Amino acid sequence: ALALPRGDPAIVKHLPSVLDIESLRSALEGEPESGPLANFLKESLGCQDLSMTPWVEDSRIESALSQRSKYKVPLPKGTPDIVKKALGLPSLVPSVTVNCVGLRGDCLILVQRSRSEGVLYSERFRVQHTHLFRAHASGGVEWKQWTEVVWLKPLPWTHGFLAKIMLQKTLEETKGQSENFAAALLRSAVA
């Protein structure tokens, strides 16, 4: 769904170089394997073996498009050894992201829901990034991003401490990569 999460966004930025919402939408909905989402995965996160489906109409959400990306992502730098050992994490983690983009009023919303495969407890949660783009009063586009760890099933009580560590690391990674994500958007939306 293209709903906004509750609470304050982790990131709020002004992107003055992006002309308007339509140019950003065109960039996002363009050729997946050469667009800003693919460029961010490859260049900023170091993802390998990337394959992306074309954008298709999302039957669940009016006027929205969805697309799936499969890739292997390196573990974030600084992942605590206790987390690596507890979850049996490999150096490259097979992952999938489902992207959904559409207009809601005068805003463009991009929801990205990611999961890892073959890692202990990976079936229990998803990482969700919700991006809202709207015209900025002084020109360009305002970007807000929320990041959540969505639990489908709680961890066993013996591993409950990992939930807090995972959320903290996810938020740190999101904030640390925000400039790279914005740069990937800008390269595509102003090109």
Side-chain angles (χ1 to χ4, degrees):
L2 295 175
L4 297 178
R6 295 176 191 207
D8 295 330
I11 296 167
V12 177
K13 290 193 183 290
H14 177 210
L15 306 176
S17 300
V18 176
L19 298 176
D20 55 31
I21 295 298
E22 195 52 45
S23 64
L24 183 58
R25 183 179 185 180
S26 294
L28 285 169
E29 294 176 356
E31 182 59 40
E33 300 222 8
S34 61
L37 301 178
N39 291 338
F40 175 72
L41 288 171
K42 292 184 284 192
E43 297 168 10
S44 299
L45 298 182
C47 293
Q48 299 175 19
D49 301 332
L50 176 64
S51 67
M52 303 177 85
T53 64
W55 289 97
V56 295
E57 287 187 35
D58 192 316
S59 60
R60 301 166 297 149
I61 305 166
E62 187 176 336
S63 300
L65 298 177
S66 291
Q67 177 275 333
R68 186 185 71 210
S69 306
K70 292 182 84 170
Y71 49 90
K72 292 181 181 172
V73 63
L75 290 177
K77 293 178 183 169
T79 301
D81 286 338
I82 190 168
V83 173
K84 290 179 192 177
K85 289 179 184 175
L87 298 178
L89 297 175
S91 59
L92 287 173
V93 180
S95 301
V96 174
T97 297
V98 175
N99 298 296
C100 183
V101 64
L103 291 174
R104 184 171 162 205
D106 62 350
C107 298
L108 178 66
I109 297 178
L110 169 66
V111 177
Q112 301 176 288
R113 188 170 267 204
S114 303
R115 66 179 166 86
S116 298
E117 299 175 336
V119 176
L120 184 64
Y121 303 131
S122 61
E123 76 284 356
R124 294 176 183 240
F125 69 95
R126 305 291 183 260
V127 174
Q128 182 167 300
H129 300 287
T130 303
H131 308 266
L132 175 136
F133 303 95
R134 69 173 155 216
H136 192 277
S138 62
V141 171
E142 177 185 46
W143 166 41
K144 293 183 179 183
Q145 179 181 343
W146 291 261
T147 297
E148 310 168 89
V149 175
V150 179
W151 291 97
L152 306 175
K153 183 177 178 184
L155 292 172
W157 70 270
T158 55
H159 289 78
F161 69 95
L162 292 174
K164 188 173 182 178
I165 293 172
M166 290 171 64
L167 177 59
Q168 179 184 358
K169 291 302 294 177
T170 301
L171 288 171
E172 286 173 11
E173 180 78 5
T174 298
K175 289 177 181 177
Q177 290 291 344
S178 66
E179 293 298 325
N180 294 331
F181 188 81
L185 291 175
L186 290 173
R187 280 193 307 273
S188 296
V190 297

